[in-house]
Amino acid sequence: MTDMPLRTIGRPDRRIDAGEKVSGQATYTADIDLPGMLHAKVLRSPHGHARIRSIDAAAARAMPGVHAVLTRDETAVIPMPVYGYFIKDQPIVATDKVRYEGDIVAAVAAVDEGTANRALAAIRVEYEPLPVVTDLESASDPHAAELFEDAPVGIVPKYGQGASGELRPRRNVCYRFSYETGPADAFADCDHVFEDVFHFSRMHHFHLEPFVCVADWSREDRIELWTSCQNPFPVRKEIARIFGMAENRIAVRVPYIGGGFGSKNNCKTEPIALALSRIAGRPVRFCLTLEEGFLTNTQHAAILKVKTGVMQDGTLIARDSEILLDSGAYSDGSPLVAEKAGYRIPGPYRYKRIGTDCYCVMTNTAPAGPFRGFGGTQTSWACESQIDMIAHRLGIDPYEMRRKNLIDLGEPFVPGESGMDSDLREGLDLVVRELGYRRRDELKDDGPVKRGMGLAIGFKDGGGVNKPALARVKVSTNGDIFLQCGTAEIGQGAHTALSSVVAERLGTDRARVRYMPVDTDHSPFDQGTNASSAISVMGQAVDRATLAVRRQILDFAAEMLDCPADELELVDWEIRRGNEAHPLAPMIMGYYGGTGWEFVGEGFHKAENSHAAPLEAPCVFWEIGWGGAQVAVDTETGKVTVEKLFVTGDAGRAIHPLACRGQDEGAALMGLSQALFERMIYDGSRLVNGDALTYRVPLADDLPEDFRSITQEQGHGPGPFGAKGMGEGGMLPVASAIANAIYDAAGVRLTELPLSPERVLAALAAKDAE
Amino acid sequence: MYEVAQAGLIAASYRDILPFPVILPETVNEAVAAMADAEAPVPYAGGTDLCGAVREGKPVGTLVWLKRLDELRGVRMEGGTLSIGALTTHAEGAASDAAGAVPGLPDAWSKLGKIRIRLSGTAGGNLMARHTRYEMSILLTALGGAAQFASAEGEADLSPGEIWDRAEPARALLTRLSIPLAADLRLDYDRTLRPLMTQALALWTDGAGGAQGRAVIATENLRPVALDLDLTGNDAKAISAAAYDALPDDFADPASGNEWLHRAGAAVLARQLVRQGAARA
Amino acid sequence: MPDRLDPRFDLSFTLNGAPVDTATTTATTLADLLRDRRDGRGTKLACERAVCGACTVLVDDVPRASCSVFAFEVEGSAVRTVEGLTHDGELSSVQAAFADNSAFQCGFCTAGMILLTEALLARDPDPDDATIRDWISSNICRCTGYNLILEAVRDAARRKREAGQ
């Protein structure tokens, strides 16, 4: 290919979904309506933990308008009525016990939601309440109640160098992930060893489109499912296993998704809707309320104990950590989050020794699962707070402390891993410049209001673990392009970015590319839309598929024109050879006949398996979020005002710059709200603020006066045109940058989120008392 | 001191509501008669909260839609009293000339809710939602105001606290909020710590020319608590500290403990007193 | 409108300029009524308690959360939804500004944000930044971090002024 100026990549043009989304034409799962469709609702447990003595649903079954009732009596005939990622512990509806307030006990499909709810109200359930487990640290005590007396079916995946996993290592712990490299006695050589404990709060994803699906199993040998789901192929596999159905009988379709942030992976509404549809013989829509979303999936609260050995000059030597993740009542994605939290706790720094144990602790609260950052948010909070704490203890500027220890460009994160693909110091220096960090001594206090600045570098491995991706590009006689792959459009702009890659490689406008609907019957296999993998993993498959189809087209033209293919160029569906232009359509019909032809290219990508890599395959790319904050701390009320927030990510190459910016800023605002106020508040096993009115998410008037991002394009990414993944990094540094700024301003260190006025004031009082 | 609903045994939907008759009275008398006669009557004004209330279990038998009761719209002076029609929207109220009779009231009122809510949410609906997150009760408590109800039994004036206790007569209709205009009455509403805490300060002059004041502290989970001020002494921090001695020890919620509410509330109050020139820093 | 509505009644209003006469019930919300119509699903439902504003429509030019407005309330009113903003395939200035500024991601809040912006600019063609922030704070966007939305509103105001709208 000759070097031609790029016509699509990097342009701030309209996303391909812009027209549909601003005109109300975009279709989401919530908008799907089938003839004869019923509506499902569920009955939930009012107890945090209880044994079910009896369920009497006879009255509900007899009610007019009710077409199906699902209780443990009905699920008993389903081949494997439990689901989960590594551990199959979540029943479709409760069988012997309920394990959190909101656990599903029964479901009804009726002609409308009102009828379904009235039927649910007629179901009688007798419970025998049991003691609840809500505290992470005492959950494994011998006297603590046990959520699972018997071991559910589960697996431990194969791990590489230094990593290991274990099911049920202790009471109420469903999974442990451990990682170790370097000698345990490395601490002995350190000038200082610092041990600190950090507490991480719990948020709900608060995606606006609810958990929703429409399931049609009215024909025995065919399942059709529309679902607001991030990973249709794994869901298809799970449904096949649960119901004993062949995968080629199950079609999972994913329209536009109205937000997910991690929550919409794996089974949520789907098994209940399918079971009801089978009983009723009609399509069933199951749409949760937003309040029920809080009871369906959440972020992991965590306690992180971090022990770090360091030399007097600030050189990091060793870090051992113990992490407790609050996994809630069912394992969901917890073991996978544990892998990542355990793996990411060192941060982007060089050590001689790393040792981590991460435990998934079961509690009688809503199940926790994937959430933007996937363990990296928890670890960045602890890591980047402690780096600052150590710097201050050693009398070193936190900026210098970071610079001294950061991994170099190209240096492996740990033995067996891929090299760092961003210049970490370049990003840090950008934050320092944009924030005015070096002039922070000039910040003026305002009576009781103290000002300061803080920095942080959020860090995670990106692109998923051992993630395969397949893409197909078809081009019709007239040069109309079909892009088929399984990446869902969840708002991140993946359909635009992937279409841009295709258009660029085929020398045409992006308007010629249509991203085909995601449908497991037709789309090539994909593991899921998660882990910032769309451009970094699927992007490579799409790029290869496009280059493959381009090669076919040029080879065909070369044969037709009787010349070497390398003399030819493809531009706007014409073959250019020097000054000649040959339209392709007549050439194609001349050879294939008047009905024309489609060229088809496929592209595959997967990181090579490697036992040297701790997670069995080297990381695809490293997702970094650099951040800095300026705060004003009111020392009389404890209120923290973030006056400036600056975040920057490295897109490698920004395929669509506005989409990149939106991802970083959206992520940063989630980080800001977690830092300052947003959290699920539990009183025992009861969620206190699980609704839109009392669960506070950030609004436009919560933005810092100066809130900006810059998308770096360092160019070292593995994706097409040097791209890296985006979308999670911007969240990672924010909470610790703000905590570090609070210390800079007021001399108090907060180690628990959120950084509420109450905690700030208590810390100030404790400092005054010293 | 706070109440939390059970974690949704059934996720109620407004689609659970069975269709109901709607009555549109032209006058307050007609509305009162409808409230008295209809089956399970529910008065309906701006509509912001009813669907939420239904989802929390409120039954609707007959809807008494107050749309035509223009006499309950707007803010006016009646003798020495500021009278606020229950159907006055927040946007109308904050922009009204009459509300300016209490300096600080228009500004405070203009901050309630977001603009989409302010354009249709009403003063009366805010009060009758009895939601601790809503703020009209805080302002009315600080200003020593009352709420007027009409029912078949006659009229009744209730304090904001009595509304929390649901002490109004059965099937009564809230008609007006009234604020007696003490000399030099003014309001300072501090929302800088919202939703954890907000505080309204009312100041006025009594018949003997003495400065008087009342502070009301509220959180999004707790009913407002009024603290009377002794403004002699002129030291803002001392006045505030003395007032806060009366804050109940159980004034705390899941988001904030008593100690912080006490300390932060006192600090805010001292600033409000200085800002209003009622005491010196 | 009569002094009393039966549980089932006939409703008349204009939707995006066109008259609508339909039988409905008093318990039907405006959102459900709109969404049950052909091409009515641009109005989204999320929190269903008037907080998030995803379901915002204009009733006589006032932005209302249609999840919490009963259909009977719009008798005789003019209702505008996102479907009514596009004319002959051409986006309104506000829609175009949202599209060009990528002021959306998942798109679920977008119709509500756009209608909120239409209402703001009808009242104040040249709003300052504080006013824009105040208005946009009525609705929730979980994706964008709001900056791009605020920029789209400023851009929309500029486009409307330049077009003399």
Side-chain angles (χ1 to χ4, degrees), chain A residues 201-513:
Chain A
S201 57
R202 181 179 196 168
M203 303 204 300
H204 173 52
H205 310 72
F206 208 93
H207 41 81
L208 286 183
E209 185 193 25
F211 290 106
V212 56
C213 77
V214 176
D216 188 357
W217 195 357
S218 47
R219 283 188 306 170
E220 188 178 352
D221 61 349
R222 177 69 169 150
I223 283 175
E224 290 182 276
L225 181 65
W226 292 259
T227 177
S228 187
C229 157
Q230 298 181 227
N231 61 347
F233 286 90
V235 164
R236 183 183 71 182
K237 181 163 174 281
E238 192 78 329
I239 288 166
R241 185 188 56 77
I242 292 170
F243 294 106
M245 190 89 166
E247 288 187 71
N248 59 10
R249 298 283 172 181
I250 304 168
V252 183
R253 296 171 188 141
V254 181
Y256 283 125
I257 303 175
F261 313 104
S263 68
K264 289 177 175 170
N265 283 287
N266 278 29
C267 291
K268 294 290 176 286
T269 53
E270 298 86 355
I272 283 179
L274 281 167
L276 289 169
S277 176
R278 184 81 281 269
I279 295 168
R282 284 168 65 165
V284 171
R285 178 181 195 259
F286 184 24
C287 182
L288 301 191
T289 64
L290 184 133
E291 290 87 344
E292 288 179 291
F294 284 89
L295 305 175
T296 303
N297 211 348
T298 78
Q299 195 185 31
H300 287 84
I303 300 174
L304 306 101
K305 301 172 185 176
V306 187
K307 173 179 155 189
T308 305
V310 61
M311 305 309 287
Q312 183 61 37
D313 69 354
T315 304
L316 294 168
I317 302 294
R319 170 168 286 181
D320 279 4
S321 313
E322 183 190 81
I323 304 170
L324 305 179
L325 296 176
D326 188 340
S327 302
Y330 296 104
S331 61
D332 197 80
S334 290
L336 293 80
V337 175
E339 289 177 346
K340 294 302 191 171
Y343 198 49
R344 292 167 179 168
I345 185 68
Y349 303 105
R350 188 181 302 120
Y351 300 84
K352 293 193 171 114
R353 147 86 191 174
I354 296 166
T356 311
D357 294 309
C358 183
Y359 298 91
C360 300
V361 182
M362 311 301 285
T363 62
N364 293 116
T365 61
F371 191 110
R372 186 180 227 163
F374 211 86
T377 338
Q378 288 85 343
T379 59
S380 291
W381 159 241
C383 174
E384 287 304 282
S385 292
Q386 205 203 23
I387 291 288
D388 249 55
M389 293 160 79
I390 293 172
H392 286 294
R393 287 164 182 156
L394 298 178
I396 300 172
D397 187 287
Y399 163 77
E400 297 298 341
M401 171 97 189
R402 288 189 171 84
R403 268 194 78 91
K404 181 189 238 352
N405 290 288
L406 284 170
I407 290 170
D408 290 327
L409 181 64
E411 182 180 346
F413 165 55
V414 292
E417 258 300 0
S418 58
M420 179 53 58
D421 54 2
S422 284
D423 183 330
L424 298 171
R425 291 176 184 84
E426 188 177 322
L428 184 63
D429 288 345
L430 177 64
V431 177
V432 164
R433 272 199 307 280
E434 291 294 323
L435 198 63
Y437 181 79
R438 292 185 194 287
R439 298 186 307 279
R440 72 187 190 284
D441 291 343
E442 298 166 21
L443 288 174
K444 297 270 189 295
D445 290 341
D446 190 3
V449 177
K450 313 289 185 197
R451 291 196 165 79
M453 288 182 180
L455 308 171
I457 307 176
F459 159 88
K460 66 178 290 247
D461 53 303
V465 175
N466 196 11
K467 192 168 197 269
L470 185 62
R472 190 181 301 127
V473 176
K474 305 197 296 177
V475 191
S476 77
T477 307
N478 292 321
D480 299 322
I481 303 162
F482 303 71
L483 170 56
Q484 291 180 308
C485 64
T487 300
E489 181 54 67
I490 194 165
Q492 82 283 45
H495 286 191
T496 299
L498 295 170
S499 300
S500 297
V501 170
V502 175
E504 197 68 64
R505 291 293 194 208
L506 294 181
T508 189
D509 291 339
R510 200 179 52 209
R512 297 302 299 271
V513 183

Side-chain angles (χ1 to χ4, degrees), chain A residues 538-763:
Chain A
M538 184 59 82
Q540 298 195 56
V542 167
D543 203 18
R544 283 173 196 165
T546 314
L547 293 174
V549 80
R550 182 177 181 279
R551 170 58 36 207
Q552 287 178 42
I553 294 162
L554 290 178
D555 285 349
F556 165 76
E559 204 174 314
M560 294 298 105
L561 299 170
D562 197 18
C563 70
D566 58 13
E567 289 180 12
L568 305 180
E569 197 55 65
L570 175 63
V571 181
D572 288 325
W573 206 232
E574 289 182 342
I575 295 298
R576 303 273 169 88
R577 184 184 183 201
N579 293 328
E580 303 167 19
H582 303 275
L584 267 160
M587 215 187 289
I588 292 167
M589 288 189 285
Y591 181 81
Y592 290 100
T595 49
W597 180 243
E598 278 182 4
F599 293 97
V600 183
E602 288 203 335
F604 172 74
H605 174 75
K606 191 184 95 59
E608 285 299 319
N609 294 22
S610 160
H611 195 63
L615 301 179
E616 272 293 307
C619 164
V620 177
F621 79 100
W622 299 95
E623 188 164 359
I624 312 298
W626 297 262
Q630 175 182 319
V631 303
V633 180
D634 185 331
T635 56
E636 290 181 351
T637 64
K639 182 185 169 77
V640 175
T641 303
V642 177
E643 297 182 321
K644 287 187 189 175
L645 179 64
F646 177 78
V647 295
T648 175
D650 174 17
R653 177 67 168 258
I655 305 291
H656 192 277
L658 282 172
C660 292
R661 186 184 153 199
Q663 283 283 296
D664 263 349
E665 292 181 357
L669 189 61
M670 249 184 200
L672 178 86
S673 75
Q674 176 147 41
L676 296 182
F677 52 80
E678 184 182 336
R679 60 166 165 160
M680 294 171 70
I681 302 175
Y682 271 96
D683 184 357
S685 64
R686 177 154 302 173
L687 178 62
V688 169
N689 61 339
D691 64 71
L693 196 60
T694 57
Y695 181 83
R696 186 174 170 212
V697 297
L699 300 171
D701 58 9
D702 288 308
L703 296 189
E705 196 55 44
D706 182 356
F707 171 43
R708 285 180 302 121
S709 72
I710 289 180
T711 306
Q712 299 174 64
E713 296 185 272
Q714 293 194 8
H716 311 300
F721 303 92
K724 296 175 66 169
M726 296 283 294
E728 301 179 88
M731 180 170 182
L732 305 180
V734 176
S736 44
I738 293 171
N740 295 339
I742 291 171
Y743 184 86
D744 187 52
V748 292
R749 173 59 58 179
L750 272 67
T751 55
E752 183 166 2
L753 291 174
L755 307 166
S756 65
E758 184 170 22
R759 293 201 173 111
V760 172
L761 210 56

